[in-house]
Coordinates of all heavy atoms in Angstrom, one line a residue:
M1 N -44.9 -22.8 -81.0 CA -45.9 -22.1 -81.7 C -45.9 -20.6 -81.4 O -46.1 -19.8 -82.3 CB -47.3 -22.7 -81.4 CG -48.3 -22.3 -82.4 SD -47.8 -22.8 -84.1 CE -49.3 -23.6 -84.5
M2 N -45.6 -20.2 -80.2 CA -45.5 -18.8 -79.8 C -44.4 -18.1 -80.6 O -44.5 -17.0 -81.0 CB -45.3 -18.7 -78.3 CG -45.2 -17.2 -77.9 SD -46.6 -16.9 -76.8 CE -45.9 -15.7 -75.8
L3 N -43.2 -18.8 -80.7 CA -42.1 -18.3 -81.4 C -42.4 -18.0 -82.9 O -42.1 -16.9 -83.4 CB -40.9 -19.3 -81.4 CG -39.6 -18.8 -82.1 CD1 -39.1 -17.6 -81.4 CD2 -38.6 -19.9 -82.0
A4 N -43.2 -18.8 -83.5 CA -43.6 -18.6 -84.9 C -44.4 -17.3 -85.0 O -44.3 -16.5 -85.9 CB -44.4 -19.7 -85.5
G5 N -45.3 -17.1 -84.0 CA -46.1 -15.9 -84.0 C -45.3 -14.6 -83.8 O -45.5 -13.6 -84.4
L6 N -44.3 -14.7 -83.0 CA -43.4 -13.6 -82.7 C -42.6 -13.3 -84.0 O -42.4 -12.1 -84.3 CB -42.5 -13.8 -81.5 CG -43.2 -13.9 -80.2 CD1 -42.2 -14.3 -79.1 CD2 -43.8 -12.5 -79.8
L7 N -42.1 -14.3 -84.6 CA -41.2 -14.1 -85.8 C -42.0 -13.6 -87.0 O -41.4 -12.8 -87.8 CB -40.5 -15.4 -86.2 CG -39.4 -15.9 -85.2 CD1 -38.9 -17.2 -85.7 CD2 -38.3 -14.9 -85.1
S8 N -43.2 -13.9 -87.1 CA -44.0 -13.5 -88.3 C -44.2 -12.0 -88.3 O -44.3 -11.4 -89.4 CB -45.4 -14.2 -88.3 OG -46.1 -13.7 -87.2
G9 N -44.1 -11.3 -87.2 CA -44.3 -9.9 -87.2 C -43.0 -9.1 -87.3 O -42.9 -7.9 -87.3
C10 N -41.9 -9.8 -87.2 CA -40.5 -9.2 -87.2 C -40.1 -8.8 -88.5 O -40.3 -9.5 -89.5 CB -39.5 -10.1 -86.6 SG -39.8 -10.5 -84.8
S11 N -39.4 -7.7 -88.6 CA -38.7 -7.3 -89.8 C -37.2 -7.2 -89.4 O -36.9 -6.6 -88.5 CB -39.2 -5.9 -90.3 OG -38.4 -5.6 -91.5
F12 N -36.4 -7.9 -90.2 CA -35.0 -7.9 -89.9 C -34.2 -6.9 -90.7 O -33.0 -6.8 -90.5 CB -34.5 -9.3 -90.2 CG -35.1 -10.4 -89.4 CD1 -36.1 -11.2 -89.9 CD2 -34.7 -10.6 -88.0 CE1 -36.7 -12.2 -89.1 CE2 -35.3 -11.5 -87.3 CZ -36.3 -12.3 -87.8
V13 N -34.8 -6.1 -91.5 CA -34.1 -5.2 -92.4 C -34.8 -3.8 -92.4 O -36.0 -3.8 -92.5 CB -34.1 -5.7 -93.9 CG1 -33.4 -4.7 -94.8 CG2 -33.4 -7.1 -93.9
N14 N -34.0 -2.8 -92.2 CA -34.6 -1.4 -92.2 C -34.1 -0.6 -93.4 O -32.9 -0.8 -93.8 CB -34.3 -0.7 -90.9 CG -34.9 -1.4 -89.7 OD1 -36.1 -1.6 -89.7 ND2 -34.1 -1.7 -88.7
I15 N -34.9 0.3 -93.9 CA -34.5 1.2 -95.0 C -33.5 2.2 -94.4 O -33.8 2.7 -93.3 CB -35.7 1.8 -95.7 CG1 -35.3 2.5 -97.0 CG2 -36.5 2.7 -94.8 CD1 -35.2 1.6 -98.2
T16 N -32.5 2.6 -95.2 CA -31.6 3.6 -94.8 C -32.1 5.0 -95.4 O -33.0 5.0 -96.2 CB -30.2 3.4 -95.3 OG1 -30.2 3.4 -96.8 CG2 -29.6 2.1 -94.8
E17 N -31.5 6.0 -94.9 CA -31.9 7.3 -95.4 C -31.6 7.4 -96.9 O -32.5 7.9 -97.7 CB -31.1 8.4 -94.7 CG -31.5 9.8 -95.0 CD -30.8 10.9 -94.2 OE1 -30.5 10.6 -93.0 OE2 -30.5 12.0 -94.8
K18 N -30.5 6.9 -97.4 CA -30.2 7.0 -98.8 C -31.2 6.0 -99.6 O -31.6 6.3 -100.7 CB -28.8 6.6 -99.1 CG -27.8 7.6 -98.7 CD -26.4 7.1 -99.0 CE -25.3 8.2 -98.7 NZ -24.0 7.7 -99.0
G19 N -31.5 4.9 -99.0 CA -32.4 3.9 -99.7 C -33.8 4.4 -99.9 O -34.5 4.0 -100.8
E20 N -34.2 5.4 -99.0 CA -35.5 5.9 -99.1 C -35.8 6.6 -100.4 O -36.9 6.7 -100.9 CB -35.8 6.9 -97.9 CG -36.0 6.2 -96.6 CD -36.3 7.2 -95.5 OE1 -36.3 8.4 -95.7 OE2 -36.5 6.7 -94.4
S21 N -34.7 7.2 -101.0 CA -34.9 7.9 -102.3 C -34.8 7.0 -103.5 O -35.0 7.5 -104.6 CB -33.9 9.0 -102.4 OG -32.6 8.5 -102.5
V22 N -34.6 5.7 -103.3 CA -34.5 4.8 -104.5 C -35.8 4.2 -104.7 O -36.5 3.8 -103.8 CB -33.4 3.7 -104.1 CG1 -33.4 2.7 -105.3 CG2 -32.1 4.3 -103.9
R23 N -36.2 4.2 -106.0 CA -37.5 3.6 -106.4 C -37.4 2.3 -107.0 O -36.3 1.9 -107.5 CB -38.3 4.6 -107.3 CG -37.8 4.6 -108.7 CD -38.6 5.6 -109.6 NE -38.1 5.6 -110.9 CZ -38.8 5.1 -112.0 NH1 -40.0 4.6 -111.8 NH2 -38.2 5.1 -113.2
V24 N -38.4 1.5 -106.9 CA -38.5 0.1 -107.5 C -39.3 0.3 -108.8 O -40.4 0.8 -108.7 CB -39.1 -0.9 -106.5 CG1 -39.1 -2.3 -107.1 CG2 -38.4 -0.9 -105.2
A25 N -38.7 -0.2 -109.9 CA -39.3 -0.1 -111.2 C -39.4 -1.4 -111.9 O -38.9 -2.4 -111.4 CB -38.6 1.0 -112.0
T26 N -40.0 -1.4 -113.0 CA -40.1 -2.6 -113.9 C -39.2 -2.3 -115.1 O -38.8 -1.1 -115.3 CB -41.5 -2.9 -114.4 OG1 -41.9 -1.8 -115.3 CG2 -42.5 -3.0 -113.2
L27 N -38.9 -3.3 -115.9 CA -38.1 -3.1 -117.1 C -38.7 -2.1 -118.0 O -38.0 -1.4 -118.7 CB -38.0 -4.4 -117.8 CG -37.0 -5.4 -117.2 CD1 -37.1 -6.8 -117.9 CD2 -35.6 -4.9 -117.1
Y28 N -40.0 -1.9 -118.0 CA -40.7 -1.0 -118.9 C -40.5 0.5 -118.5 O -40.6 1.4 -119.3 CB -42.2 -1.2 -119.0 CG -42.5 -2.6 -119.5 CD1 -42.9 -3.6 -118.6 CD2 -42.3 -3.0 -120.8 CE1 -43.2 -4.9 -119.0 CE2 -42.6 -4.2 -121.3 CZ -43.0 -5.2 -120.4 OH -43.3 -6.5 -120.8
D29 N -40.1 0.7 -117.2 CA -39.9 2.0 -116.6 C -38.5 2.6 -116.8 O -38.3 3.7 -116.5 CB -40.2 2.0 -115.1 CG -41.6 1.6 -114.8 OD1 -42.6 1.9 -115.5 OD2 -41.8 0.9 -113.7
I30 N -37.6 1.8 -117.3 CA -36.2 2.2 -117.3 C -35.7 2.7 -118.7 O -34.5 2.9 -118.8 CB -35.3 1.2 -116.7 CG1 -35.4 -0.1 -117.4 CG2 -35.6 1.1 -115.2 CD1 -34.4 -1.1 -117.0
A31 N -36.5 2.8 -119.6 CA -36.1 3.3 -120.9 C -35.5 4.7 -120.7 O -36.0 5.6 -120.1 CB -37.3 3.4 -121.9
G32 N -34.3 4.9 -121.2 CA -33.6 6.2 -121.1 C -32.8 6.3 -119.8 O -32.1 7.3 -119.6
C33 N -32.8 5.3 -119.0 CA -32.0 5.3 -117.7 C -30.6 4.7 -118.0 O -30.5 3.9 -119.0 CB -32.7 4.4 -116.7 SG -34.3 5.0 -116.2
E34 N -29.7 5.0 -117.2 CA -28.3 4.5 -117.4 C -28.1 3.4 -116.4 O -28.3 3.5 -115.2 CB -27.3 5.6 -117.1 CG -25.9 5.2 -117.1 CD -24.9 6.3 -116.7 OE1 -25.3 7.4 -116.4 OE2 -23.7 6.0 -116.6
R35 N -27.7 2.2 -116.9 CA -27.4 1.1 -116.0 C -26.1 1.3 -115.3 O -25.1 1.7 -115.9 CB -27.3 -0.2 -116.8 CG -27.1 -1.4 -115.9 CD -27.1 -2.7 -116.7 NE -26.8 -3.9 -115.9 CZ -27.6 -4.6 -115.2 NH1 -28.9 -4.3 -115.2 NH2 -27.2 -5.6 -114.5
K36 N -26.2 1.2 -114.0 CA -25.0 1.4 -113.1 C -24.4 0.1 -112.6 O -23.2 0.0 -112.2 CB -25.3 2.2 -111.9 CG -25.7 3.6 -112.2 CD -24.5 4.3 -112.9 CE -24.6 5.8 -112.8 NZ -23.3 6.4 -113.2
G37 N -25.1 -1.0 -112.7 CA -24.6 -2.3 -112.3 C -25.7 -3.2 -111.8 O -26.9 -3.0 -112.1
A38 N -25.4 -4.1 -110.9 CA -26.4 -5.0 -110.3 C -26.0 -5.3 -108.8 O -24.9 -5.1 -108.4 CB -26.4 -6.3 -111.1
T39 N -27.0 -5.7 -108.1 CA -26.8 -6.1 -106.7 C -27.5 -7.4 -106.5 O -28.6 -7.6 -107.0 CB -27.2 -5.0 -105.7 OG1 -26.9 -5.4 -104.4 CG2 -28.7 -4.7 -105.8
V40 N -26.9 -8.3 -105.8 CA -27.5 -9.6 -105.4 C -27.7 -9.5 -103.9 O -26.7 -9.3 -103.2 CB -26.7 -10.8 -105.8 CG1 -27.3 -12.1 -105.3 CG2 -26.5 -10.8 -107.3
V41 N -28.9 -9.6 -103.4 CA -29.2 -9.4 -102.0 C -29.8 -10.7 -101.5 O -30.5 -11.5 -102.3 CB -30.1 -8.2 -101.8 CG1 -29.4 -6.9 -102.1 CG2 -31.4 -8.3 -102.6
S42 N -29.6 -11.0 -100.2 CA -30.2 -12.2 -99.6 C -30.5 -12.0 -98.2 O -29.9 -11.1 -97.5 CB -29.2 -13.3 -99.8 OG -28.0 -13.1 -99.1
V43 N -31.5 -12.8 -97.7 CA -31.9 -12.8 -96.3 C -32.2 -14.3 -96.0 O -32.3 -15.1 -96.8 CB -33.2 -12.0 -96.1 CG1 -33.0 -10.5 -96.3 CG2 -34.4 -12.5 -96.9
K44 N -32.3 -14.6 -94.7 CA -32.6 -15.9 -94.2 C -34.0 -16.2 -94.7 O -34.9 -15.4 -94.5 CB -32.5 -16.0 -92.7 CG -31.1 -15.8 -92.2 CD -30.4 -17.0 -92.0 CE -29.1 -16.8 -91.4 NZ -28.2 -17.9 -91.6
D45 N -34.2 -17.4 -95.2 CA -35.6 -17.8 -95.6 C -36.3 -18.6 -94.5 O -37.4 -18.9 -94.6 CB -35.7 -18.5 -97.0 CG -34.8 -19.7 -97.1 OD1 -34.1 -20.0 -96.1 OD2 -34.8 -20.3 -98.1
S46 N -35.5 -19.0 -93.5 CA -36.1 -19.6 -92.3 C -35.3 -19.2 -91.1 O -34.1 -18.8 -91.2 CB -36.1 -21.1 -92.5 OG -34.7 -21.6 -92.4
V47 N -36.0 -19.2 -89.9 CA -35.4 -18.8 -88.7 C -35.7 -19.9 -87.7 O -36.9 -20.2 -87.5 CB -35.9 -17.5 -88.2 CG1 -35.2 -17.1 -86.8 CG2 -35.5 -16.4 -89.2
V48 N -34.7 -20.5 -87.0 CA -34.9 -21.5 -86.1 C -35.7 -22.7 -86.7 O -36.6 -23.2 -86.0 CB -35.5 -21.0 -84.8 CG1 -35.2 -22.0 -83.6 CG2 -35.1 -19.6 -84.4
G49 N -35.4 -23.0 -87.9 CA -36.1 -24.1 -88.6 C -37.5 -23.8 -89.1 O -38.2 -24.6 -89.6
I50 N -38.0 -22.5 -88.9 CA -39.3 -22.1 -89.3 C -39.2 -21.3 -90.5 O -38.5 -20.3 -90.6 CB -40.0 -21.4 -88.2 CG1 -40.1 -22.2 -86.9 CG2 -41.4 -20.9 -88.6 CD1 -40.6 -21.5 -85.7
D51 N -39.9 -21.7 -91.6 CA -39.9 -20.9 -92.8 C -40.6 -19.6 -92.6 O -41.6 -19.5 -92.0 CB -40.7 -21.7 -93.9 CG -39.9 -22.9 -94.4 OD1 -38.7 -23.0 -94.2 OD2 -40.6 -23.8 -95.0
R52 N -39.9 -18.6 -93.2 CA -40.5 -17.2 -93.1 C -41.4 -17.0 -94.3 O -41.3 -17.6 -95.4 CB -39.3 -16.2 -93.2 CG -38.4 -16.3 -92.0 CD -37.3 -15.3 -92.0 NE -37.8 -14.0 -91.9 CZ -37.4 -13.0 -92.7 NH1 -36.5 -13.1 -93.5 NH2 -38.0 -11.8 -92.5
S53 N -42.3 -16.1 -94.2 CA -43.3 -15.8 -95.3 C -42.6 -15.2 -96.5 O -41.7 -14.4 -96.4 CB -44.4 -14.9 -94.8 OG -44.0 -13.5 -94.9
Q54 N -43.0 -15.6 -97.7 CA -42.4 -15.1 -98.9 C -42.6 -13.6 -99.1 O -41.8 -12.9 -99.6 CB -43.0 -15.8 -100.2 CG -42.6 -17.3 -100.3 CD -41.1 -17.4 -100.4 OE1 -40.5 -16.9 -101.3 NE2 -40.5 -18.2 -99.5
E55 N -43.7 -13.1 -98.5 CA -44.0 -11.6 -98.6 C -43.0 -10.9 -97.8 O -42.5 -9.8 -98.2 CB -45.4 -11.3 -98.1 CG -46.5 -11.8 -99.0 CD -46.8 -13.3 -98.8 OE1 -46.5 -13.9 -97.7 OE2 -47.4 -13.9 -99.7
K56 N -42.6 -11.4 -96.6 CA -41.6 -10.7 -95.7 C -40.3 -10.8 -96.4 O -39.5 -9.8 -96.4 CB -41.6 -11.4 -94.4 CG -42.8 -11.1 -93.5 CD -42.5 -10.0 -92.6 CE -43.6 -9.8 -91.6 NZ -43.8 -8.4 -91.3
I57 N -39.9 -11.9 -96.9 CA -38.6 -12.1 -97.6 C -38.5 -11.2 -98.7 O -37.5 -10.4 -98.9 CB -38.4 -13.6 -98.0 CG1 -38.3 -14.5 -96.8 CG2 -37.2 -13.7 -98.9 CD1 -38.4 -16.0 -97.1
D58 N -39.6 -11.1 -99.6 CA -39.6 -10.2 -100.7 C -39.4 -8.7 -100.3 O -38.6 -8.0 -100.9 CB -40.9 -10.4 -101.5 CG -41.0 -9.5 -102.7 OD1 -40.1 -9.7 -103.7 OD2 -41.8 -8.6 -102.8
A59 N -40.2 -8.3 -99.3 CA -40.1 -6.9 -98.8 C -38.7 -6.6 -98.3 O -38.2 -5.5 -98.6 CB -41.1 -6.7 -97.7
E60 N -38.1 -7.5 -97.6 CA -36.7 -7.3 -97.1 C -35.7 -7.2 -98.2 O -34.7 -6.4 -98.2 CB -36.3 -8.3 -96.1 CG -37.2 -8.1 -94.8 CD -36.9 -9.2 -93.7 OE1 -36.0 -10.0 -93.9 OE2 -37.5 -9.1 -92.7
L61 N -35.8 -8.1 -99.3 CA -34.9 -8.0 -100.4 C -35.0 -6.7 -101.1 O -34.0 -6.1 -101.5 CB -35.2 -9.2 -101.3 CG -34.8 -10.6 -100.8 CD1 -35.3 -11.7 -101.7 CD2 -33.4 -10.7 -100.5
V62 N -36.2 -6.2 -101.3 CA -36.4 -4.9 -102.0 C -35.7 -3.8 -101.1 O -35.0 -2.9 -101.7 CB -37.9 -4.6 -102.2 CG1 -38.1 -3.2 -102.6 CG2 -38.5 -5.5 -103.2
I63 N -35.9 -3.8 -99.8 CA -35.2 -2.8 -99.0 C -33.7 -2.9 -99.1 O -33.0 -1.9 -99.3 CB -35.6 -3.0 -97.5 CG1 -37.1 -2.6 -97.3 CG2 -34.8 -2.2 -96.6 CD1 -37.7 -3.0 -96.0
L64 N -33.2 -4.1 -99.1 CA -31.7 -4.3 -99.2 C -31.2 -3.8 -100.6 O -30.2 -3.1 -100.7 CB -31.3 -5.8 -99.0 CG -31.4 -6.3 -97.6 CD1 -31.2 -7.8 -97.6 CD2 -30.4 -5.6 -96.7
A65 N -32.0 -4.1 -101.6 CA -31.6 -3.6 -103.0 C -31.6 -2.0 -103.0 O -30.7 -1.4 -103.6 CB -32.5 -4.2 -104.0
R66 N -32.7 -1.5 -102.5 CA -32.8 0.0 -102.4 C -31.6 0.6 -101.6 O -31.1 1.6 -102.0 CB -34.1 0.4 -101.8 CG -35.3 0.1 -102.7 CD -36.6 0.4 -102.0 NE -36.8 1.9 -101.8 CZ -37.7 2.4 -101.0 NH1 -38.5 1.6 -100.3 NH2 -37.7 3.7 -100.8
N67 N -31.3 0.0 -100.5 CA -30.2 0.5 -99.7 C -28.9 0.4 -100.4 O -28.0 1.3 -100.2 CB -30.1 -0.3 -98.4 CG -31.2 0.0 -97.4 OD1 -31.9 0.9 -97.5 ND2 -31.3 -0.9 -96.4
S68 N -28.6 -0.6 -101.2 CA -27.3 -0.7 -101.9 C -27.2 0.1 -103.2 O -26.1 0.4 -103.6 CB -27.1 -2.2 -102.2 OG -28.0 -2.7 -103.1
A69 N -28.3 0.5 -103.8 CA -28.3 1.2 -105.1 C -27.4 2.5 -105.0 O -26.6 2.8 -105.9 CB -29.7 1.5 -105.6
P70 N -27.6 3.4 -104.0 CA -26.8 4.6 -104.0 C -25.3 4.4 -104.0 O -24.5 5.2 -104.4 CB -27.2 5.3 -102.7 CG -28.6 4.8 -102.5 CD -28.5 3.3 -102.9
D71 N -24.8 3.2 -103.5 CA -23.4 2.9 -103.4 C -22.8 2.8 -104.8 O -21.5 3.0 -104.9 CB -23.2 1.6 -102.6 CG -23.6 1.7 -101.2 OD1 -23.7 2.8 -100.6 OD2 -23.8 0.7 -100.6
V72 N -23.6 2.5 -105.8 CA -23.0 2.5 -107.2 C -23.6 3.6 -108.1 O -23.5 3.5 -109.3 CB -23.3 1.1 -107.8 CG1 -22.5 0.0 -107.1 CG2 -24.7 0.8 -107.9
G73 N -24.2 4.6 -107.4 CA -24.7 5.8 -108.2 C -26.1 5.6 -108.7 O -26.5 6.3 -109.6
G74 N -26.8 4.6 -108.2 CA -28.2 4.4 -108.8 C -29.3 5.0 -107.9 O -29.1 5.3 -106.8
D75 N -30.4 5.3 -108.6 CA -31.6 5.8 -107.9 C -32.8 4.9 -108.2 O -33.9 5.3 -107.7 CB -31.8 7.2 -108.3 CG -32.1 7.5 -109.8 OD1 -32.4 6.5 -110.5 OD2 -31.8 8.6 -110.2
T76 N -32.6 3.8 -108.9 CA -33.8 2.9 -109.3 C -33.2 1.5 -109.3 O -32.1 1.3 -109.7 CB -34.3 3.3 -110.7 OG1 -34.7 4.7 -110.7 CG2 -35.5 2.5 -111.1
V77 N -34.1 0.6 -108.8 CA -33.7 -0.8 -108.9 C -34.9 -1.6 -109.6 O -36.0 -1.2 -109.6 CB -33.5 -1.5 -107.5 CG1 -32.3 -0.9 -106.9 CG2 -34.7 -1.4 -106.6
V78 N -34.4 -2.6 -110.3 CA -35.4 -3.5 -111.1 C -35.0 -4.9 -110.9 O -33.9 -5.3 -111.0 CB -35.2 -3.2 -112.6 CG1 -36.1 -4.1 -113.4 CG2 -35.6 -1.7 -112.9
R79 N -36.0 -5.7 -110.5 CA -35.8 -7.2 -110.4 C -35.3 -7.8 -111.7 O -35.9 -7.6 -112.7 CB -37.1 -7.9 -109.9 CG -37.7 -7.4 -108.6 CD -39.1 -8.1 -108.4 NE -39.8 -7.3 -107.5 CZ -39.8 -7.6 -106.2 NH1 -39.0 -8.6 -105.7 NH2 -40.5 -6.9 -105.3
E80 N -34.3 -8.6 -111.6 CA -33.7 -9.2 -112.8 C -33.9 -10.7 -112.7 O -33.8 -11.4 -113.7 CB -32.3 -8.9 -113.0 CG -32.1 -7.4 -113.4 CD -30.6 -7.1 -113.7 OE1 -29.7 -7.9 -113.3 OE2 -30.4 -6.1 -114.4
E81 N -34.1 -11.3 -111.6 CA -34.3 -12.7 -111.4 C -35.4 -12.9 -110.4 O -35.7 -12.1 -109.6 CB -33.0 -13.4 -110.8 CG -31.8 -13.3 -111.8 CD -30.6 -13.9 -111.2 OE1 -30.5 -14.2 -110.0 OE2 -29.6 -14.0 -111.9
R82 N -35.9 -14.1 -110.4 CA -36.9 -14.5 -109.4 C -36.3 -14.8 -108.1 O -35.1 -15.2 -108.0 CB -37.7 -15.8 -109.8 CG -38.5 -15.6 -111.0 CD -39.2 -16.9 -111.4 NE -40.4 -16.5 -112.2 CZ -41.6 -17.0 -112.0 NH1 -41.8 -18.0 -111.1 NH2 -42.6 -16.6 -112.7
L83 N -37.0 -14.6 -107.0 CA -36.6 -14.9 -105.7 C -36.4 -16.4 -105.6 O -37.2 -17.2 -106.0 CB -37.7 -14.4 -104.7 CG -37.7 -14.9 -103.3 CD1 -36.4 -14.4 -102.6 CD2 -38.9 -14.5 -102.5
S84 N -35.2 -16.8 -105.0 CA -34.9 -18.2 -104.9 C -34.0 -18.4 -103.7 O -32.9 -17.7 -103.5 CB -34.1 -18.7 -106.1 OG -33.7 -20.0 -106.0
D85 N -34.5 -19.2 -102.8 CA -33.7 -19.5 -101.5 C -33.3 -18.2 -100.8 O -32.2 -18.1 -100.3 CB -32.5 -20.3 -101.8 CG -32.8 -21.7 -102.4 OD1 -33.9 -22.3 -102.0 OD2 -32.1 -22.2 -103.3
G86 N -34.2 -17.3 -100.7 CA -33.9 -16.0 -100.0 C -32.9 -15.1 -100.7 O -32.4 -14.2 -100.0
K87 N -32.7 -15.3 -102.0 CA -31.8 -14.4 -102.7 C -32.4 -13.9 -104.0 O -33.2 -14.6 -104.6 CB -30.6 -15.3 -103.0 CG -29.5 -14.6 -103.8 CD -28.2 -15.4 -103.8 CE -28.3 -16.5 -104.8 NZ -27.1 -17.2 -105.1
Q88 N -32.0 -12.7 -104.4 CA -32.6 -12.1 -105.6 C -31.6 -11.1 -106.2 O -30.9 -10.4 -105.5 CB -33.9 -11.5 -105.4 CG -34.7 -11.1 -106.7 CD -36.1 -10.8 -106.4 OE1 -36.4 -10.3 -105.3 NE2 -37.0 -11.0 -107.3
R89 N -31.5 -11.0 -107.5 CA -30.7 -10.1 -108.2 C -31.5 -8.9 -108.7 O -32.6 -9.1 -109.3 CB -30.0 -10.8 -109.4 CG -29.1 -9.9 -110.2 CD -28.6 -10.7 -111.5 NE -27.8 -9.9 -112.3 CZ -26.5 -9.8 -112.3 NH1 -25.8 -10.4 -111.5 NH2 -25.9 -9.0 -113.2
F90 N -31.0 -7.7 -108.6 CA -31.7 -6.5 -109.0 C -30.7 -5.7 -109.9 O -29.5 -5.6 -109.5 CB -32.0 -5.6 -107.8 CG -33.2 -6.1 -107.0 CD1 -33.0 -7.1 -106.0 CD2 -34.4 -5.5 -107.1 CE1 -34.0 -7.6 -105.2 CE2 -35.5 -6.0 -106.3 CZ -35.3 -7.0 -105.4
G91 N -31.2 -5.1 -111.0 CA -30.4 -4.2 -111.8 C -30.5 -2.8 -111.1 O -31.5 -2.5 -110.5
V92 N -29.4 -2.1 -111.2 CA -29.3 -0.7 -110.6 C -29.2 0.3 -111.7 O -28.3 0.1 -112.5 CB -28.2 -0.6 -109.6 CG1 -28.1 0.8 -108.9 CG2 -28.3 -1.7 -108.5
Y93 N -30.0 1.3 -111.7 CA -30.1 2.3 -112.7 C -30.1 3.7 -112.2 O -30.6 3.9 -111.1 CB -31.3 2.1 -113.6 CG -31.3 0.8 -114.4 CD1 -31.8 -0.4 -113.7 CD2 -30.9 0.7 -115.7 CE1 -31.8 -1.6 -114.4 CE2 -30.9 -0.5 -116.3 CZ -31.3 -1.6 -115.7 OH -31.3 -2.8 -116.4
K94 N -29.6 4.6 -113.0 CA -29.7 6.1 -112.7 C -30.7 6.6 -113.7 O -30.5 6.6 -114.9 CB -28.3 6.7 -112.9 CG -28.3 8.2 -112.7 CD -28.4 8.6 -111.3 CE -28.2 10.1 -111.1 NZ -28.5 10.5 -109.7
C95 N -31.9 7.0 -113.2 CA -32.9 7.5 -114.0 C -33.2 9.0 -113.9 O -33.6 9.6 -114.8 CB -34.2 6.7 -113.7 SG -34.1 5.0 -114.2
R96 N -33.0 9.5 -112.7 CA -33.2 10.9 -112.5 C -32.0 11.7 -112.7 O -30.9 11.3 -112.4 CB -33.7 11.2 -111.0 CG -35.0 10.5 -110.7 CD -35.4 10.7 -109.3 NE -36.1 9.5 -108.8 CZ -35.8 8.8 -107.7 NH1 -34.9 9.2 -106.9 NH2 -36.5 7.8 -107.4
R97 N -32.1 12.8 -113.4 CA -30.9 13.6 -113.7 C -30.7 14.7 -112.7 O -31.5 15.3 -112.1 CB -31.1 14.2 -115.1 CG -31.3 13.2 -116.2 CD -30.1 12.5 -116.6 NE -30.4 11.4 -117.5 CZ -29.7 10.3 -117.6 NH1 -28.7 10.1 -116.8 NH2 -30.0 9.4 -118.4

């Protein structure tokens, strides 16, 4: 039980310097943006047999998507699929000129 308490406060993913400048948007926000590609990101949905909270998993997936967007020239990410088994697909867009 103590292990579960310790794991619940842990974050396994950190934002990079480049990822800090990437915003998370919705499909409605990307009119006029150029699509650069997509990224599929994943994290463990359980640790030592203990399920992790969906909120933590979601937050970490967003960070991973933001971190990967600059690698393909993007500055904005948009969720394209629902979170499933610790994995999610994000579209990567260039919106700022």
